[in-house]
Amino acid sequence: MGWWSPYMFPIVCMFLIVSVMGVVRNPAANVDIKNDNVINGHHHHNYKEALTKSILFFEGQRSGKLPSTQRMKWRKDSAVNDGQYAGVFEFADTYQGSYNDSLGKYVCPHYCDYGGYKDELLWAASWLYKASNERNYFDYVMRNKPNTTEIAFNWDAKGAGTNMLMSIESMRKGNGIWDEHDKESFRIKADEFVCSIVPESPSKTVEYSPGGLLFKLGGCNLQNPTAISLLLLAYARYLNEADEFVRCGNTIVVPSRLISLVKSQ
Ligand SMILES: *[C@@H]1O[C@H](CO)[C@@H](O)[C@H](O)[C@H]1NC(C)=O
Ligand SMILES: *[C@@H]1O[C@H](CO)[C@@H](O)[C@H](O)[C@H]1NC(C)=O
């Protein structure tokens, strides 16, 4: 449940800027980073290269069990057993607190905890419900879900992701512990999220650049089209399986429309 602040310039932004300017080189990944293109005496940003490096950067950030195709050879599997014995979720729920209070003096003002941790607890409980089907995680989400519609999905805000995940779960296992009210409550929020993004929706809240790139106000936009595209793709897949669509006012949004929108990003 966070929001953007001018203080927050994630590494991704800096990496992009620095790599386009051609002042870094990453020998470990065996990739050359060239100066920007000069065509007819004019400097042009090499977006292909910037994108290539960004993807590589994200690849390098992955944790858990890494696939054999991992290009950052110095990076190995990590965090595969974290919390296995402590019961990570139960621990976090019992000893709730913001990392502002512990790490704040080292990471703030660059990486403050702006949105609090309630959304992260819900996000964790939703995944645990998905993975385990256990009723206590389902009940936890139902008991603690906010009554507002979240349209942010980023490092500090997980609300939109939780709504999508739970809505997808209601379509996949929409019986047993799910009553109609529970299903509706997430479906409405997930649909509102879609309607806040799709360009032809009357309730759209994001902007698009003249070239059609999704643009949300904030210091580092790259995370928005990336994270939102992920949610839209996942939702499109399950809408498709359930033979469903989203209604935004009088506008019908079918799963294939969501996929074409994501492709355009
Ligand atoms: C963490 O600190 C920042 C900067 O002082 C503040 O804006 C934010 O509200 C704090 N977050 C929490 C959850 O207290
Ligand atoms: C939503 O929750 C807030 C705080 O928990 C409460 O004040 C508000 O009345 C609720 N709104 C609705 C529509 O239930």
Side-chain angles (χ1 to χ4, degrees), residues 189-238:
K189 288 178 179 181
D191 286 7
E192 278 176 8
F193 174 78
V194 170
C195 295
S196 76
I197 305 295
V198 176
E200 63 271 28
S201 160
S203 48
K204 171 178 74 99
T205 61
V206 296
E207 299 295 324
Y208 284 84
S209 73
L213 183 69
L214 206 158
F215 184 79
K216 284 179 89 164
L217 289 180
C220 183
N221 193 55
L222 185 64
Q223 62 174 338
N224 293 315
T226 314
I228 290 169
S229 293
L230 174 71
L231 291 188
L232 294 183
L233 261 191
Y235 203 45
R237 182 173 153 202
Y238 288 101

Side-chain angles (χ1 to χ4, degrees), residues 31-58:
V31 184
D32 283 325
I33 296 175
K34 302 179 194 74
N35 289 316
D36 50 358
N37 287 355
V38 182
I39 300 170
N40 296 333
H42 295 285
H43 287 269
H44 293 266
H45 294 306
N46 188 339
Y47 287 111
K48 183 180 166 198
E49 191 168 32
L51 190 57
T52 304
K53 299 302 181 296
S54 299
I55 292 169
L56 189 63
F57 174 78
F58 283 122

Side-chain angles (χ1 to χ4, degrees), residues 11-84:
I11 270 172
V12 181
C13 271
M14 287 186 256
F15 185 88
L16 261 180
I17 293 161
V18 172
S19 63
V20 170
M21 285 161 53
V23 288
V24 290
R25 209 187 147 82
N26 190 338
N30 199 22
V31 184
D32 283 325
I33 296 175
K34 302 179 194 74
N35 289 316
D36 50 358
N37 287 355
V38 182
I39 300 170
N40 296 333
H42 295 285
H43 287 269
H44 293 266
H45 294 306
N46 188 339
Y47 287 111
K48 183 180 166 198
E49 191 168 32
L51 190 57
T52 304
K53 299 302 181 296
S54 299
I55 292 169
L56 189 63
F57 174 78
F58 283 122
E59 237 182 77
Q61 297 304 304
R62 287 182 301 191
S63 167
K65 178 105 190 92
L66 299 179
S68 57
T69 50
Q70 170 78 357
R71 287 180 290 172
M72 302 282 199
K73 293 297 177 199
W74 47 267
R75 179 114 203 198
K76 305 295 176 201
D77 297 351
S78 60
V80 282
N81 297 316
D82 280 15
Q84 196 175 345

